[in-house]
Amino acid sequence: GRLDWADRFLAFCQTNSVPLDFFSYHRYADNVDSFVQKTRQVRALLVKNGFGDVPMYLNEWNWQRGWSGDVYRESVRRRGDRNNYRFAASYAATMSALQHEAVDMMMYYDMRVPCRYNGVFAADSEEPLKGFFAFYAWSRLYRLGREVKSDLSGETKALTAIAAKGPDGALALLVTRCVESEDTFGRIPVHVAVAGRSLARARLHMTDELDRYTEKELQVQPDGTATFLLAPQAFAVIELD
């Protein structure tokens, strides 16, 4: 939505003592930073106009390169492609990044079948696309109930990480590599360590250009840490009971 309109609307509400139950906005973009910046801008407007405690909902979001001509058609075609791994990585990275921003809920648009904005299910067969597994991966963390701290160090450009822990000690980690340039090739090593725990019995699932939430071997070191290779436009889920 337009921020100038939002600013005038919020100023009117403040001046006239109009209460707000929530404030919603949309964002369609082809990079994670754009979602983050828009969220911060909206929150700043709410604070500026005295509504800093009002819940904020990103009630439409999706990957979109443009709204007309070839870029619009490209967005529609690639989103619905059966190998839409770029979108899967974008979805995973966007949810991970906004988990630490001041947005209260996110509503992906759209999972209707058929729908040109659906990057989750195939329009013809209704089978899951690779975009589906970004939401499935997120659900693996959500079911555990509590986010725990995850730190990235070293060469972390284009990487996001988020982790969760269950009441029984089960852990899950989602690591996403979402690069802006499509000319980036080659896998990078990702080294994972969990304080006080060995990853010897951990499970690794990968989604990338070649894999579809495929279980892969995790290279575990004698000290209990582990390493895996992550392609551009890909995400990995590590789970430890």
Side-chain angles (χ1 to χ4, degrees):
R2 292 177 50 183
L3 293 178
D4 57 342
W5 179 90
D7 196 14
R8 294 196 304 272
F9 169 77
L10 292 170
F12 176 90
C13 291
Q14 182 188 45
T15 300
N16 293 277
S17 300
V18 178
L20 286 183
D21 294 323
F22 63 89
F23 187 85
S24 63
Y25 66 107
H26 300 176
R27 190 57 172 171
Y28 293 83
D30 62 355
N31 65 87
V32 175
D33 286 343
S34 180
F35 286 98
V36 171
Q37 292 307 314
K38 180 64 174 289
T39 296
R40 292 177 180 177
Q41 290 168 347
V42 172
R43 175 54 66 183
L45 285 182
L46 288 170
V47 171
K48 169 188 171 184
N49 289 286
F51 295 105
D53 295 329
V54 169
M56 190 169 76
Y57 304 147
L58 176 52
N59 69 339
E60 281 191 29
W61 69 277
N62 206 323
W63 192 101
Q64 186 75 16
R65 180 154 287 169
W67 295 100
S68 62
D70 290 342
V71 291
Y72 175 77
R73 287 187 287 273
E74 175 198 10
S75 298
V76 173
R77 176 183 59 80
R78 292 173 62 175
R79 184 165 41 239
D81 188 275
R82 278 177 166 72
N83 195 25
N84 65 349
Y85 64 97
R86 293 184 181 87
F87 291 81
S90 175
Y91 297 159
T94 299
M95 289 188 287
S96 297
L98 292 191
Q99 171 70 8
H100 298 138
E101 298 297 327
V103 59
D104 294 279
M105 288 196 288
M106 300 169 62
M107 292 78 168
Y108 174 85
Y109 188 90
D110 186 306
M111 292 187 190
R112 291 174 296 167
V113 180
C115 177
R116 66 186 62 186
Y117 294 98
N118 191 339
V120 178
F121 298 104
D124 50 4
S125 64
E126 301 183 9
E127 67 176 344
L129 304 175
K130 287 189 175 178
F132 166 86
F133 293 100
F135 295 93
Y136 178 74
W138 189 265
S139 77
R140 301 297 295 174
L141 276 69
Y142 180 80
R143 70 186 178 87
L144 296 178
R146 180 168 64 93
E147 182 184 3
V148 292
K149 185 178 180 182
S150 56
D151 291 321
L152 288 169
S153 62
E155 180 53 57
T156 61
K157 183 176 177 57
L159 289 178
T160 58
I162 190 164
K165 184 178 181 179
D168 59 353
L171 292 169
L173 171 67
L174 170 62
V175 181
T176 307
R177 184 182 178 202
C178 187
V179 301
E180 290 190 25
S181 172
E182 295 187 10
D183 296 326
T184 301
F185 303 97
R187 296 173 180 259
I188 61 171
V190 177
H191 188 70
V192 180
V194 177
R197 300 281 298 273
S198 170
L199 291 165
R201 296 182 179 276
R203 303 177 303 281
L204 168 67
H205 287 86
M206 192 85 67
T207 301
D208 55 25
E209 183 177 10
L210 301 177
D211 296 306
R212 180 184 173 92
Y213 209 81
T214 305
E215 186 165 4
K216 312 288 281 189
E217 182 181 2
L218 190 63
Q219 299 294 327
V220 181
Q221 311 303 319
D223 63 359
T225 63
T227 302
F228 64 92
L229 296 177
L230 190 61
Q233 317 296 17
F235 64 86
V237 177
I238 295 174
E239 294 178 278
L240 179 62
D241 294 329

